[in-house]
Structures are given as C-alpha cells and as structure tokens.
Amino acid sequence: MYLADGGGGGSSTPTEFGQRKLKVDPSAIPEARKAFEHAIDEFDSKIKEAVRDLPTQPWAQDPISSETSKAFNEQTSDKALAALNFYRAQLAGVVDQLKMIEEQYRQVEGDNTAMWGKHLRDRD
C-alpha cells in the first residue's frame, strides 16, 4: 500500500514542500497509524509553545531591534507558520488515510491477524 503526503491531498499542495510516498505493509497499518498519531501529539505539544513566541518582539526596545523584528516577522514568521500548518495537515491526512485503509482491510479480512500477517510469510 502506498500513501501520498497529505492523505492523497489535492492541488493545494505547495510545490516547495514536495511529494513523498509511503509504503506500508497491510500488517503494519495499525502500528504505522499509531506512530503518525503520536507524531501529531508531539508536534502539537511542541509547536503550540513555540508559536506563542511569534511574531518576534523587539528585544532591545530600540529603533534598530524594532525594525529588525518587523523585517523578520514580515519575511519569516508567516512562511514558517504556513509550513508548520501544512506539515501538520499532512500528518493528519496520512492518519485519516491509514484509518480508512485499515477499515477497508478489516471489512475484507476481519480481525484475522493470520491474514494480516500473510504478506510477511509469503516473502520468506
């Protein structure tokens, strides 16, 4: 099974972030989903703290740091926030797609773990 970034996202994918494919063996779907869910939780806990520091404030309370802070915010923080939001959306899209595929496998295979692991045994 292959997943495109963003759970098969549409044309709103910024080209500067590129596209990647993820191949997941059907028997590994539940653990892969849990790993991506954990990544979202970690992302949320760390990024929410960091975003509070944006936009930057003039650090010396003088005209020079005020202009520097303004320029930094105009050139960097909007792009950084957009990239972070896009990355989180990609993680969420992969989780959604893994859930959908896992549900499809469960409808066809049931919870039969012997069938889920069949693909691994066939390679040996």
XYZ file of all heavy atoms in Angstrom, residues 20-120:
807
model
N 6.038 12.930 -1.277
C 6.702 11.699 -0.886
C 5.670 10.585 -0.889
O 4.482 10.829 -0.760
C 7.300 11.810 0.525
C 8.276 12.933 0.708
C 9.594 12.638 -0.030
N 10.566 13.669 0.208
C 10.702 14.770 -0.510
N 9.920 14.981 -1.525
N 11.612 15.654 -0.230
N 6.127 9.364 -1.014
C 5.240 8.212 -0.932
C 5.696 7.339 0.218
O 6.878 7.249 0.507
C 5.248 7.426 -2.230
C 4.624 8.218 -3.347
C 4.286 7.375 -4.515
C 3.713 8.314 -5.557
N 2.806 7.697 -6.425
N 4.733 6.720 0.849
C 4.987 5.848 1.979
C 4.416 4.483 1.649
O 3.248 4.377 1.281
C 4.306 6.425 3.231
C 4.278 5.562 4.480
C 5.697 5.402 5.030
C 3.382 6.207 5.520
N 5.240 3.463 1.754
C 4.762 2.102 1.526
C 4.632 1.424 2.888
O 5.581 1.412 3.666
C 5.728 1.319 0.646
C 5.228 -0.087 0.373
C 6.107 -0.855 -0.553
C 5.495 -2.218 -0.750
N 6.252 -3.043 -1.643
N 3.438 0.895 3.149
C 3.160 0.246 4.422
C 2.573 -1.123 4.147
O 1.586 -1.249 3.415
C 2.162 1.078 5.269
C 1.862 0.385 6.583
C 2.704 2.473 5.511
N 3.177 -2.146 4.710
C 2.629 -3.496 4.601
C 1.302 -3.528 5.359
O 1.186 -2.924 6.421
C 3.618 -4.498 5.214
C 3.212 -5.916 4.901
O 2.367 -6.457 5.657
O 3.708 -6.462 3.911
N 0.294 -4.200 4.827
C -1.009 -4.220 5.498
C -0.944 -4.612 6.973
O -1.655 -4.042 7.792
C -1.809 -5.240 4.694
C -1.213 -5.183 3.334
C 0.265 -4.933 3.559
N -0.069 -5.526 7.322
C 0.001 -5.946 8.721
C 0.588 -4.867 9.617
O 0.433 -4.911 10.830
C 0.827 -7.233 8.850
O 2.166 -6.998 8.441
N 1.248 -3.873 9.040
C 1.872 -2.804 9.822
C 0.999 -1.550 9.913
O 1.381 -0.581 10.566
C 3.226 -2.443 9.216
N -0.164 -1.567 9.278
C -1.021 -0.374 9.257
C -1.382 0.117 10.659
O -1.234 1.306 10.939
C -2.281 -0.605 8.397
C -1.883 -0.726 6.926
C -3.286 0.523 8.579
C -3.021 -1.141 6.018
N -1.840 -0.752 11.566
C -2.212 -0.238 12.899
C -1.049 0.458 13.614
O -1.224 1.518 14.203
C -2.675 -1.484 13.659
C -3.126 -2.429 12.584
C -2.185 -2.179 11.428
N 0.140 -0.118 13.549
C 1.295 0.490 14.211
C 1.745 1.758 13.500
O 2.163 2.720 14.144
C 2.450 -0.506 14.328
C 2.191 -1.608 15.342
C 1.912 -1.086 16.742
O 2.651 -0.202 17.231
O 0.937 -1.560 17.350
N 1.659 1.781 12.181
C 2.016 2.994 11.435
C 1.060 4.121 11.792
O 1.480 5.262 12.023
C 1.989 2.718 9.930
N -0.221 3.820 11.870
C -1.212 4.826 12.251
C -0.906 5.375 13.641
O -0.913 6.587 13.859
C -2.624 4.233 12.209
C -3.713 5.221 12.610
C -5.094 4.575 12.667
N -5.140 3.272 13.291
C -5.133 3.068 14.611
N -5.055 4.069 15.448
N -5.205 1.841 15.092
N -0.608 4.488 14.582
C -0.274 4.930 15.940
C 0.973 5.810 15.944
O 1.038 6.791 16.689
C -0.065 3.725 16.854
C -1.344 3.000 17.192
C -1.065 1.768 18.032
C -2.299 0.897 18.171
N -1.995 -0.379 18.830
N 1.960 5.480 15.122
C 3.183 6.289 15.049
C 2.891 7.691 14.526
O 3.408 8.686 15.057
C 4.220 5.595 14.168
N 2.049 7.783 13.503
C 1.686 9.102 12.973
C 0.825 9.879 13.963
O 0.965 11.093 14.097
C 0.993 8.981 11.616
C 1.959 8.815 10.477
C 2.258 7.561 9.982
C 2.566 9.919 9.904
C 3.157 7.412 8.932
C 3.460 9.788 8.859
C 3.765 8.520 8.370
N -0.076 9.202 14.675
C -0.874 9.873 15.703
C 0.030 10.412 16.813
O -0.172 11.528 17.308
C -1.929 8.921 16.283
C -3.044 8.614 15.310
C -3.974 7.498 15.761
O -3.580 6.664 16.612
O -5.102 7.451 15.241
N 1.033 9.631 17.186
C 1.999 10.084 18.190
C 2.779 11.293 17.673
O 3.028 12.244 18.426
C 2.956 8.942 18.561
C 3.980 9.322 19.567
N 3.684 9.538 20.892
C 5.307 9.550 19.437
C 4.779 9.881 21.531
N 5.781 9.902 20.671
N 3.143 11.276 16.403
C 3.860 12.412 15.809
C 3.010 13.675 15.866
O 3.522 14.764 16.164
C 4.258 12.098 14.369
N 1.702 13.564 15.615
C 0.812 14.719 15.703
C 0.754 15.239 17.137
O 0.818 16.450 17.370
C -0.598 14.379 15.181
C -0.561 14.190 13.668
C -1.608 15.468 15.562
C -1.863 13.685 13.078
N 0.636 14.322 18.099
C 0.587 14.739 19.504
C 1.863 15.478 19.899
O 1.816 16.516 20.554
C 0.385 13.528 20.425
C -0.994 12.912 20.288
O -1.913 13.587 19.764
O -1.158 11.745 20.704
N 3.017 14.935 19.492
C 4.305 15.581 19.788
C 4.397 16.939 19.103
O 4.842 17.914 19.697
C 5.462 14.690 19.326
C 5.664 13.457 20.171
C 6.309 13.797 21.496
O 7.337 14.491 21.506
O 5.767 13.360 22.523
N 3.997 16.980 17.863
C 4.016 18.228 17.091
C 3.168 19.282 17.796
O 3.613 20.401 18.028
C 3.487 17.955 15.684
C 3.448 19.161 14.801
C 4.548 19.519 14.050
C 2.306 19.943 14.712
C 4.518 20.639 13.224
C 2.260 21.064 13.895
C 3.375 21.406 13.146
N 1.944 18.903 18.161
C 1.035 19.850 18.805
C 1.610 20.367 20.120
O 1.547 21.562 20.400
C -0.337 19.227 19.040
C -1.149 19.087 17.770
O -0.793 19.721 16.750
O -2.149 18.339 17.792
N 2.160 19.484 20.922
C 2.658 19.919 22.230
C 3.869 20.843 22.103
O 4.002 21.792 22.869
C 2.992 18.717 23.115
O 4.129 18.032 22.636
N 4.727 20.609 21.134
C 5.925 21.436 20.979
C 5.654 22.722 20.196
O 6.147 23.788 20.546
C 7.027 20.631 20.308
C 7.529 19.504 21.189
C 8.694 18.812 20.587
C 9.203 17.628 21.328
N 8.971 17.487 22.709
N 4.873 22.636 19.156
C 4.646 23.790 18.285
C 3.746 24.825 18.949
O 3.969 26.022 18.800
C 4.076 23.345 16.928
C 5.099 22.476 16.199
C 3.672 24.535 16.084
C 6.462 23.118 16.014
N 2.744 24.400 19.690
C 1.873 25.370 20.348
C 2.666 26.291 21.259
O 2.384 27.478 21.348
C 0.763 24.651 21.110
C -0.315 24.118 20.191
C -1.413 23.421 20.945
C -2.415 22.855 19.960
N -3.446 22.072 20.581
N 3.670 25.742 21.946
C 4.533 26.570 22.792
C 5.348 27.533 21.943
O 5.461 28.715 22.262
C 5.479 25.690 23.610
C 4.807 24.903 24.704
C 5.795 24.023 25.445
O 6.988 24.375 25.516
O 5.360 22.986 25.963
N 5.929 27.045 20.874
C 6.807 27.865 20.036
C 6.035 28.967 19.322
O 6.550 30.079 19.153
C 7.532 26.988 19.019
N 4.816 28.698 18.921
C 4.028 29.685 18.175
C 3.685 30.887 19.055
O 3.552 32.000 18.566
C 2.768 29.028 17.574
C 1.776 30.052 17.059
C 3.175 28.080 16.456
N 3.608 30.664 20.351
C 3.341 31.778 21.261
C 4.435 32.839 21.189
O 4.209 33.997 21.502
C 3.200 31.286 22.705
C 1.821 30.711 22.974
C 1.695 30.330 24.400
N 1.983 28.899 24.432
C 2.275 28.210 25.500
N 2.347 28.794 26.659
N 2.494 26.922 25.433
N 5.640 32.432 20.784
C 6.756 33.371 20.673
C 6.755 34.130 19.349
O 7.631 34.960 19.118
C 8.088 32.636 20.844
C 8.242 32.068 22.242
O 7.623 32.611 23.171
O 8.986 31.086 22.403
N 5.811 33.824 18.468
C 5.721 34.530 17.192
C 4.537 35.476 17.218
O 3.517 35.159 17.817
C 5.552 33.530 16.042
C 6.739 32.637 15.766
C 6.371 31.607 14.702
C 7.951 33.420 15.343
N 4.577 36.577 16.591
C 5.748 37.138 15.946
C 6.766 37.615 16.991
O 6.416 37.828 18.143
C 5.196 38.318 15.141
C 3.941 38.704 15.852
C 3.403 37.446 16.483
N 7.992 37.760 16.567
C 9.032 38.202 17.493
C 8.785 39.642 17.908
O 8.177 40.412 17.182
C 10.437 38.094 16.866
O 10.488 38.957 15.733
C 10.766 36.676 16.461
N 9.263 39.958 19.073
C 9.141 41.311 19.614
C 10.520 41.979 19.595
O 11.537 41.295 19.667
C 8.628 41.249 21.067
C 7.281 40.550 21.208
C 6.182 41.248 20.435
O 6.061 42.472 20.491
N 5.386 40.483 19.708
N 10.553 43.285 19.510
C 11.848 43.980 19.578
C 12.534 43.647 20.911
O 11.957 43.829 21.969
C 11.478 45.462 19.508
C 10.098 45.498 18.944
C 9.446 44.210 19.332
N 13.717 43.065 20.849
C 14.377 42.555 22.046
C 15.071 43.648 22.851
O 15.199 43.524 24.052
C 15.352 41.442 21.691
C 16.204 41.775 20.506
C 17.409 42.372 20.494
C 15.858 41.533 19.151
N 17.854 42.532 19.212
C 16.921 42.020 18.355
C 14.757 40.966 18.505
C 16.917 41.951 16.966
C 14.767 40.898 17.127
C 15.833 41.385 16.371
N 15.498 44.735 22.236
C 16.209 45.781 22.966
C 15.346 47.024 23.159
O 15.805 48.012 23.724
C 17.504 46.153 22.241
N 14.122 46.974 22.677
C 13.214 48.118 22.784
C 13.821 49.409 22.225
O 13.659 50.493 22.783
C 12.780 48.319 24.248
C 12.135 47.111 24.893
C 10.918 46.595 24.145
O 10.112 47.377 23.663
N 10.780 45.285 24.037
N 14.561 49.258 21.121
C 15.144 50.422 20.455
C 14.740 50.389 18.982
O 14.199 49.391 18.511
C 16.677 50.431 20.621
C 17.338 49.282 19.905
O 16.663 48.265 19.650
O 18.529 49.380 19.583
N 14.977 51.460 18.249
C 14.549 51.503 16.840
C 15.181 50.417 15.975
O 14.530 49.871 15.087
C 14.976 52.892 16.368
C 15.103 53.713 17.600
C 15.498 52.761 18.697
N 16.425 50.067 16.234
C 17.111 49.056 15.410
C 16.468 47.678 15.606
O 16.138 46.997 14.636
C 18.615 48.985 15.748
C 19.231 50.342 15.587
C 19.294 47.866 14.978
C 20.110 50.597 14.449
N 16.300 47.268 16.864
C 15.688 45.954 17.092
C 14.223 45.948 16.663
O 13.704 44.919 16.240
C 15.832 45.514 18.547
O 15.108 46.354 19.412
N 13.578 47.095 16.742
C 12.196 47.189 16.288
C 12.097 46.956 14.786
O 11.246 46.188 14.315
C 11.626 48.566 16.655
O 10.295 48.654 16.250
N 12.970 47.578 14.016
C 12.990 47.386 12.558
C 13.396 45.958 12.200
O 12.825 45.349 11.297
C 13.939 48.394 11.895
C 13.404 49.804 11.864
C 12.100 49.915 11.074
O 11.999 49.330 9.972
O 11.182 50.581 11.577
N 14.379 45.424 12.909
C 14.833 44.054 12.641
C 13.716 43.057 12.929
O 13.465 42.136 12.146
C 16.076 43.722 13.488
O 17.083 44.681 13.210
C 16.594 42.330 13.201
N 13.054 43.236 14.051
C 11.946 42.356 14.415
C 10.829 42.425 13.371
O 10.282 41.402 12.957
C 11.414 42.748 15.788
O 10.301 41.986 16.118
N 10.513 43.634 12.946
C 9.465 43.818 11.939
C 9.834 43.109 10.633
O 9.018 42.398 10.043
C 9.243 45.312 11.690
C 8.176 45.610 10.679
C 8.020 47.108 10.469
C 7.045 47.380 9.344
N 7.007 48.773 8.968
N 11.069 43.294 10.176
C 11.528 42.660 8.936
C 11.508 41.136 9.068
O 11.088 40.416 8.153
C 12.927 43.146 8.577
N 11.970 40.625 10.203
C 11.971 39.172 10.428
C 10.547 38.628 10.353
O 10.293 37.625 9.689
C 12.597 38.839 11.784
C 12.544 37.379 12.105
C 13.493 36.512 11.595
C 11.526 36.860 12.900
C 13.437 35.155 11.876
C 11.462 35.512 13.184
C 12.427 34.654 12.674
N 9.630 39.283 11.026
C 8.249 38.815 11.028
C 7.629 38.843 9.640
O 6.930 37.916 9.244
C 7.405 39.647 12.000
C 7.753 39.356 13.436
O 8.151 38.252 13.781
N 7.625 40.358 14.286
N 7.907 39.898 8.890
C 7.349 40.004 7.546
C 7.912 38.944 6.608
O 7.212 38.438 5.745
C 7.617 41.397 6.976
C 6.784 42.485 7.630
C 7.192 43.886 7.191
O 8.192 44.037 6.449
O 6.505 44.836 7.597
N 9.189 38.632 6.762
C 9.843 37.722 5.824
C 9.817 36.269 6.260
O 9.979 35.376 5.430
C 11.303 38.149 5.620
C 11.432 39.508 4.991
C 12.873 39.978 4.945
O 13.798 39.203 5.121
N 13.064 41.267 4.713
N 9.637 36.012 7.551
C 9.835 34.657 8.035
C 8.633 34.048 8.728
O 8.242 32.926 8.407
C 11.033 34.616 9.005
O 12.150 35.195 8.358
C 11.374 33.203 9.404
N 8.049 34.724 9.681
C 7.073 34.051 10.535
C 5.840 33.577 9.771
O 5.343 32.488 10.041
C 6.706 34.892 11.751
O 6.011 36.043 11.405
N 5.325 34.340 8.814
C 4.169 33.870 8.052
C 4.488 32.603 7.270
O 3.693 31.663 7.232
C 3.666 34.951 7.097
C 2.940 36.076 7.819
O 2.562 35.891 8.995
O 2.755 37.144 7.203
N 5.668 32.583 6.644
C 6.073 31.389 5.885
C 6.290 30.207 6.816
O 5.920 29.079 6.492
C 7.337 31.676 5.087
C 7.114 32.600 3.920
C 8.396 32.849 3.168
C 8.181 33.846 2.044
N 9.412 34.160 1.341
N 6.898 30.466 7.974
C 7.138 29.378 8.936
C 5.823 28.802 9.432
O 5.657 27.574 9.489
C 7.976 29.886 10.103
N 4.887 29.654 9.771
C 3.589 29.173 10.241
C 2.846 28.414 9.146
O 2.223 27.387 9.413
C 2.738 30.331 10.760
C 3.210 30.950 12.072
C 2.383 32.190 12.396
C 3.150 29.950 13.206
N 2.934 28.883 7.920
C 2.291 28.182 6.804
C 2.905 26.796 6.615
O 2.186 25.810 6.410
C 2.413 28.993 5.519
N 4.224 26.717 6.699
C 4.904 25.420 6.551
C 4.522 24.475 7.688
O 4.271 23.284 7.457
C 6.413 25.619 6.504
N 4.459 24.984 8.908
C 4.079 24.151 10.051
C 2.638 23.666 9.921
O 2.347 22.493 10.168
C 4.264 24.921 11.359
C 5.705 25.211 11.746
C 5.759 26.175 12.930
C 6.449 23.925 12.058
N 1.745 24.560 9.525
C 0.343 24.159 9.335
C 0.203 23.122 8.228
O -0.560 22.165 8.341
C -0.527 25.378 9.036
C -0.745 26.235 10.263
O -0.753 25.740 11.383
N -0.914 27.522 10.051
N 0.972 23.293 7.161
C 0.939 22.342 6.049
C 1.464 20.973 6.505
O 0.870 19.935 6.192
C 1.770 22.862 4.878
C 1.794 21.937 3.704
C 0.696 21.825 2.874
C 2.919 21.176 3.442
C 0.708 20.954 1.788
C 2.939 20.305 2.361
C 1.834 20.192 1.538
N 2.558 20.978 7.263
C 3.134 19.726 7.759
C 2.142 18.986 8.658
O 1.941 17.782 8.526
C 4.434 20.021 8.515
C 5.069 18.797 9.107
C 5.646 17.830 8.290
C 5.093 18.602 10.482
C 6.232 16.690 8.833
C 5.674 17.477 11.027
C 6.244 16.523 10.198
O 6.806 15.410 10.740
N 1.483 19.720 9.560
C 0.524 19.075 10.450
C -0.645 18.503 9.649
O -1.145 17.412 9.927
C 0.001 20.048 11.496
C -0.747 19.279 12.588
C -1.595 20.154 13.447
N -2.198 19.376 14.514
C -3.214 18.520 14.328
N -3.700 18.296 13.125
N -3.731 17.858 15.347
N -1.086 19.244 8.642
C -2.173 18.753 7.784
C -1.761 17.483 7.052
O -2.569 16.569 6.869
C -2.594 19.838 6.785
N -0.488 17.414 6.650
C -0.002 16.194 6.002
C -0.058 15.016 6.969
O -0.493 13.918 6.603
C 1.437 16.371 5.520
C 1.565 17.238 4.294
C 3.011 17.330 3.865
O 3.883 17.678 4.657
N 3.269 17.019 2.624
N 0.404 15.225 8.198
C 0.363 14.157 9.197
C -1.072 13.690 9.421
O -1.349 12.487 9.431
C 0.965 14.631 10.520
C 2.469 14.866 10.562
C 2.871 15.466 11.910
C 3.236 13.583 10.297
N -1.980 14.648 9.582
C -3.386 14.304 9.805
C -3.970 13.578 8.591
O -4.750 12.627 8.747
C -4.192 15.563 10.120
N -3.585 13.981 7.394
C -4.067 13.317 6.186
C -3.604 11.874 6.098
O -4.359 10.990 5.692
N -2.368 11.631 6.493
C -1.848 10.258 6.485
C -2.600 9.421 7.508
O -2.982 8.279 7.226
C -0.322 10.234 6.746
C 0.171 8.813 6.953
C 0.420 10.887 5.585
N -2.838 9.968 8.699
C -3.595 9.234 9.720
C -4.991 8.906 9.198
O -5.451 7.766 9.318
C -3.669 10.033 11.045
C -4.699 9.420 11.996
C -2.306 10.097 11.703
N -5.656 9.885 8.599
C -7.004 9.644 8.058
C -6.989 8.562 6.992
O -7.853 7.684 6.964
C -7.591 10.933 7.478
C -7.927 11.966 8.543
O -7.997 11.608 9.739
O -8.100 13.142 8.167
N -5.984 8.608 6.122
C -5.915 7.620 5.054
C -5.595 6.233 5.616
O -6.161 5.234 5.178
C -4.880 8.030 4.007
C -5.005 7.215 2.732
C -4.152 7.757 1.609
O -3.258 8.563 1.831
N -4.416 7.306 0.407
N -4.712 6.165 6.601
C -4.410 4.878 7.232
C -5.650 4.305 7.919
O -5.901 3.098 7.840
C -3.263 5.024 8.228
C -1.870 5.143 7.631
C -0.864 5.553 8.687
C -1.453 3.843 6.950
N -6.423 5.155 8.582
C -7.657 4.685 9.227
C -8.615 4.113 8.186
O -9.217 3.061 8.398
C -8.342 5.831 9.971
C -7.693 6.194 11.283
C -8.438 7.360 11.932
C -7.802 7.778 13.226
N -8.488 8.949 13.817
N -8.758 4.821 7.059
C -9.665 4.376 6.009
C -9.204 3.027 5.437
O -9.999 2.105 5.275
C -9.737 5.420 4.894
C -10.647 5.032 3.747
S -10.486 6.133 2.331
C -8.837 5.736 1.769
N -7.917 2.920 5.156
C -7.397 1.679 4.577
C -7.494 0.537 5.592
O -7.856 -0.589 5.242
C -5.961 1.882 4.082
C -5.976 2.845 2.892
C -5.304 0.565 3.707
C -4.616 3.359 2.485
N -7.196 0.843 6.864
C -7.315 -0.176 7.909
C -8.754 -0.676 7.997
O -8.990 -1.883 8.091
C -6.863 0.408 9.246
C -6.878 -0.596 10.385
C -6.382 0.008 11.684
O -6.033 1.207 11.738
O -6.346 -0.749 12.677
N -9.710 0.233 7.935
C -11.115 -0.153 7.987
C -11.487 -1.015 6.775
O -12.211 -2.003 6.904
C -12.015 1.090 8.059
C -13.492 0.774 8.123
C -13.890 -0.073 9.319
O -13.247 0.026 10.384
O -14.854 -0.851 9.185
N -10.978 -0.662 5.608
C -11.250 -1.467 4.406
C -10.684 -2.875 4.566
O -11.348 -3.852 4.224
C -10.664 -0.790 3.173
C -11.405 0.449 2.753
C -10.708 1.200 1.626
O -9.560 0.946 1.295
N -11.415 2.161 1.045
N -9.457 -2.977 5.079
C -8.875 -4.301 5.304
C -9.690 -5.082 6.323
O -9.926 -6.275 6.151
C -7.426 -4.197 5.784
C -6.426 -4.137 4.669
C -5.741 -2.962 4.389
C -6.145 -5.254 3.888
C -4.819 -2.891 3.358
C -5.228 -5.200 2.859
C -4.573 -4.024 2.602
O -3.658 -3.967 1.581
N -10.139 -4.426 7.369
C -10.918 -5.123 8.394
C -12.264 -5.608 7.826
O -12.739 -6.668 8.201
C -11.132 -4.240 9.614
C -9.858 -4.020 10.385
C -10.106 -3.515 11.784
N -8.880 -3.161 12.441
C -8.025 -4.014 12.987
N -8.263 -5.304 12.922
N -6.929 -3.591 13.575
N -12.859 -4.834 6.926
C -14.113 -5.274 6.323
C -13.889 -6.508 5.457
O -14.730 -7.392 5.413
C -14.721 -4.147 5.485
C -15.304 -3.038 6.317
C -15.805 -1.877 5.463
O -15.700 -1.891 4.239
N -16.352 -0.872 6.114
N -12.748 -6.564 4.776
C -12.463 -7.696 3.895
C -11.875 -8.866 4.672
O -12.299 -10.006 4.514
C -11.485 -7.261 2.773
C -11.048 -8.461 1.952
C -12.144 -6.214 1.892
N -10.902 -8.582 5.524
C -10.165 -9.634 6.218
C -10.688 -9.914 7.621
O -10.319 -10.914 8.215
C -8.681 -9.240 6.345
C -8.006 -8.862 5.055
C -7.653 -10.052 4.187
O -7.736 -11.190 4.684
O -7.300 -9.839 3.029
N -11.475 -8.988 8.167
C -11.876 -9.108 9.565
C -10.672 -8.820 10.450
O -9.691 -8.208 10.026
N -10.735 -9.262 11.663
C -9.616 -9.073 12.577
C -8.675 -10.265 12.538
O -7.902 -10.493 13.465
C -10.126 -8.853 14.010
C -10.717 -7.474 14.185
O -10.221 -6.545 13.520
O -11.660 -7.330 14.979
N -8.723 -11.026 11.484
C -7.913 -12.225 11.336
C -6.438 -11.844 11.191
O -5.956 -11.549 10.106
C -8.405 -13.018 10.118
C -7.670 -14.323 9.943
O -6.679 -14.597 10.609
N -8.164 -15.140 9.031
N -5.723 -11.866 12.285
C -4.318 -11.455 12.254
C -3.486 -12.406 11.407
O -2.455 -12.022 10.875
C -3.732 -11.370 13.669
O -3.929 -12.614 14.330
C -4.369 -10.251 14.452
N -3.947 -13.657 11.268
C -3.215 -14.587 10.413
C -3.220 -14.095 8.968
O -2.205 -14.160 8.267
C -3.826 -15.990 10.501
N -4.341 -13.532 8.495
C -4.398 -12.992 7.138
C -3.584 -11.709 7.019
O -2.933 -11.468 6.024
C -5.853 -12.703 6.734
C -6.610 -13.917 6.231
S -5.815 -14.712 4.834
C -6.389 -13.704 3.500
N -3.641 -10.869 8.061
C -2.899 -9.609 8.027
C -1.406 -9.886 7.917
O -0.686 -9.164 7.272
C -3.193 -8.771 9.277
C -4.485 -8.043 9.192
C -5.726 -8.587 9.102
C -4.665 -6.636 9.153
N -6.669 -7.603 9.026
C -6.045 -6.398 9.062
C -3.794 -5.561 9.203
C -6.571 -5.122 9.005
C -4.340 -4.289 9.159
C -5.706 -4.079 9.060
N -0.935 -10.953 8.550
C 0.491 -11.275 8.505
C 0.866 -12.145 7.321
O 2.027 -12.451 7.098
N -0.114 -12.566 6.522
C 0.124 -13.448 5.378
C 1.157 -12.879 4.425
O 2.021 -13.575 3.932
C -1.180 -13.701 4.641
C -1.056 -14.542 3.400
C -2.417 -14.704 2.733
C -2.348 -15.580 1.514
N -1.775 -14.943 0.362
N 1.101 -11.571 4.192
C 2.022 -10.939 3.246
C 3.470 -11.078 3.705
O 4.359 -11.260 2.888
C 1.675 -9.449 3.080
C 0.279 -9.249 2.623
N -0.140 -9.532 1.354
C -0.822 -8.815 3.296
C -1.438 -9.269 1.239
N -1.866 -8.834 2.407
N 3.689 -11.044 5.007
C 5.047 -11.195 5.522
C 5.532 -12.639 5.354
O 6.666 -12.877 4.967
C 5.107 -10.802 6.998
C 4.847 -9.329 7.285
C 4.827 -9.083 8.796
C 5.886 -8.448 6.637
